[in-house]
Amino acid sequence: MFFKKPAFFPKQLFLRFVIQQVLGVVPALVIAALVVRLYLAERLTNLSSVEEVVHAYDRAFLFLALVMAVTVSSISVYTGYRLVLPLGRILVKARAILKREYSFSRAGEDKSHADDEQGEWSDLESAIHRIGRDMQKKDQTLSREREELEAILSAISEAVVAVDRQGNLLFYNSQFVVLFGDLHRRQMRLSDFFRNPDVLEAFRNTLREGEPRTAATQLRLKREAMFRHFSLSVAPLKMEDGTLYGAVGIFHDVSELKRMDQVRIDFVANVSHELRTPLTSIKGYAQTLKEDFPEEGTSRKYLATIERNTDRLIALVQDLLSLSALESGTEIEKEEIDLEELYQRIATQLEPLRAEKRHELTFRQEVPTLFADPKRLEQVLFNLMENAIKYVPPGGRIEVLWADGPGEVRLHVRDDGPGIPVEHHSRVFERFYRVDSARTREQGGTGLGLA
């Protein structure tokens, strides 16, 4: 093989070039040969010496060579011009596409170039034209989507910012500029706006692990001296193949929600404090009146009802005060707790209720002590055990287990009661939520034990 077989060979262009060369050169050679023959035939009849004959042949061949040179050069120039002329138009279109200029006409529309647009040149020009039209449509679509995205981002009340893997800003909305400052440099980093470690760490974790992150933090705005509360949500930005190239963060201003929540906490705490004193007085008077009615009767029954409902209200007030203290950020005082002693103390308090329902209580522990807040831990265990005793049918079994885990201690309170249906699992820690309101009211529950 003299030539390596290419992946694609432009046969039409090759044939066109060969035919043009043959049709141009062969006739010229024939005509030149005839002229030389006639010239020699005429000259040789009048020549008498060999020297004159040689000179005649020299002049004839010189003429033939000159004619051949002129003919071949002219044909080559003409053929080359016709061959590369479409290439010029194709280059113009290609450069226009690179510059995002799509004003060129469709291939084949100009009749003056009809002869130049044959074979593979025409196919190539048509392909480039289609590529240009496709890019034009995609540019228009991207431009429209970009304008829509900018309009949406500008209408969002939350600040939005996106960064690349190096922390450089990719895009942001107008609310981000309003809250956190003007962009006075073309290339800015997230650290130019924030020094808060919670914000920077949330973005770093998302860029490192490719997983969404959330953070609650306080930030000082550029035009305010006070700090405001923000809930930050950071999500990864990925390409179609899953490659991570950045992260986008949304700053939700929750200052008003925090303020309203604090108002609610303060209101509940104040109301609870105000209720506790009169409830204690009502209970005291009810107990005093019961002593005046030693015999069973209607009056003593009414007083017992007053005392029982007063106890329920006192328990509710105490639970509300405990929740208010936790929500207000009361410091937790930790110390070493003997878990068996804690269990025995609570079991003693619940013994009358347990004996009434004839439950069997068992206790197991894999760790002897725990470092925690004794009051809070006692409250948790008391609520769990009280719930189990209340709702397990008479004669049931209740087991309390302190299990040792990797870096933690787990508390298990197991029983053979009816349990909680699966559809209620997501709401068992809501305040005042009751799985069975009728049964809970009968047992005296407030719906705050697990909250």
Side-chain angles (χ1 to χ4, degrees), residues 123-388:
D123 296 340
L124 179 59
E125 190 170 4
S126 298
I128 291 179
H129 177 81
R130 288 194 298 271
I131 292 173
R133 292 305 180 199
D134 290 343
M135 290 186 63
Q136 183 180 18
K137 291 179 181 179
K138 290 181 179 179
D139 280 354
Q140 292 173 350
T141 301
L142 289 175
S143 178
R144 183 176 64 253
E145 291 178 352
R146 183 165 53 249
E147 292 176 357
E148 292 174 354
L149 179 61
E150 290 177 355
I152 293 173
L153 290 177
S154 299
I156 294 176
S157 59
E158 286 80 10
V160 180
V161 62
V163 299
D164 60 17
R165 302 199 67 171
Q166 288 71 42
N168 300 313
L169 267 62
L170 294 177
F171 63 84
Y172 47 85
N173 66 345
S174 56
Q175 187 66 12
F176 180 82
V177 178
V178 171
L179 293 178
F180 302 116
D182 298 326
L183 303 178
H184 53 276
R185 296 202 311 268
R186 177 175 298 180
Q187 187 72 11
M188 297 198 69
R189 299 175 59 85
L190 188 68
S191 55
D192 295 332
F193 290 94
F194 304 105
R195 295 291 185 268
N196 189 295
D198 296 331
V199 175
L200 299 178
E201 188 65 21
F203 275 93
R204 276 196 293 265
N205 289 337
T206 298
L207 292 173
R208 181 175 59 253
E209 302 172 7
E211 298 294 335
R213 289 288 183 272
T214 59
T217 185
Q218 296 184 52
L219 299 172
R220 187 195 299 273
L221 305 187
K222 66 173 185 177
R223 293 187 178 91
E224 296 183 11
M226 297 178 58
F227 283 90
R228 301 185 71 174
H229 294 270
F230 286 90
S231 174
L232 172 61
S233 302
V234 184
L237 295 175
K238 297 182 179 180
M239 298 182 179
E240 292 183 359
D241 59 356
T243 303
L244 180 70
Y245 71 90
V248 59
I250 302 178
F251 294 81
H252 306 274
D253 189 349
V254 295
S255 301
E256 186 64 20
L257 293 177
K258 286 285 186 180
R259 188 187 69 81
M260 296 300 295
D261 195 47
Q262 188 60 45
V263 170
R264 178 189 59 79
I265 293 172
D266 295 340
F267 173 77
V268 171
N270 293 333
V271 170
S272 300
H273 278 292
E274 293 297 327
L275 287 175
R276 186 159 55 174
T277 299
L279 287 174
T280 303
S281 299
I282 293 173
K283 180 178 180 179
Y285 284 119
Q287 291 175 342
T288 302
L289 289 173
K290 282 176 64 177
E291 295 177 357
D292 295 335
F293 299 92
E295 297 180 0
E296 293 295 335
T298 304
S299 299
R300 187 174 180 86
K301 181 180 178 181
Y302 291 162
L303 291 172
T305 302
I306 294 174
E307 185 178 5
R308 183 173 62 256
N309 285 280
T310 303
D311 289 337
R312 288 183 59 186
L313 288 174
I314 292 175
L316 175 61
V317 169
Q318 187 59 43
D319 288 340
L320 289 173
L321 288 173
S322 299
L323 280 176
S324 298
L326 290 173
E327 291 175 335
S328 299
T330 304
E331 294 185 3
I332 297 178
E333 299 178 359
K334 295 183 179 181
E335 62 181 61
E336 190 172 8
I337 304 171
D338 187 321
L339 298 179
E340 184 175 5
E341 179 184 350
L342 174 65
Y343 166 77
Q344 294 296 343
R345 185 166 61 251
I346 296 175
T348 301
Q349 299 177 35
L350 296 173
E351 176 58 24
L353 183 60
R354 183 209 67 80
E356 180 183 349
K357 303 193 70 174
R358 304 183 308 280
H359 291 321
E360 178 185 351
L361 285 177
T362 59
F363 173 77
R364 289 193 300 121
Q365 62 183 135
E366 297 176 0
V367 290
T369 59
L370 178 64
F371 193 71
D373 188 317
K375 293 182 180 179
R376 304 303 180 196
L377 192 60
E378 180 176 356
Q379 187 177 17
V380 169
L381 184 57
F382 182 89
N383 288 340
L384 293 175
M385 291 179 62
E386 184 184 34
N387 284 347

Side-chain angles (χ1 to χ4, degrees), residues 425-434 446-451:
H425 285 184
S426 60
R427 303 189 63 187
V428 293
F429 296 104
E430 291 184 15
R431 300 170 188 173
F432 304 105
Y433 182 75
R434 301 173 179 180
T446 62
L448 292 173
L450 296 179

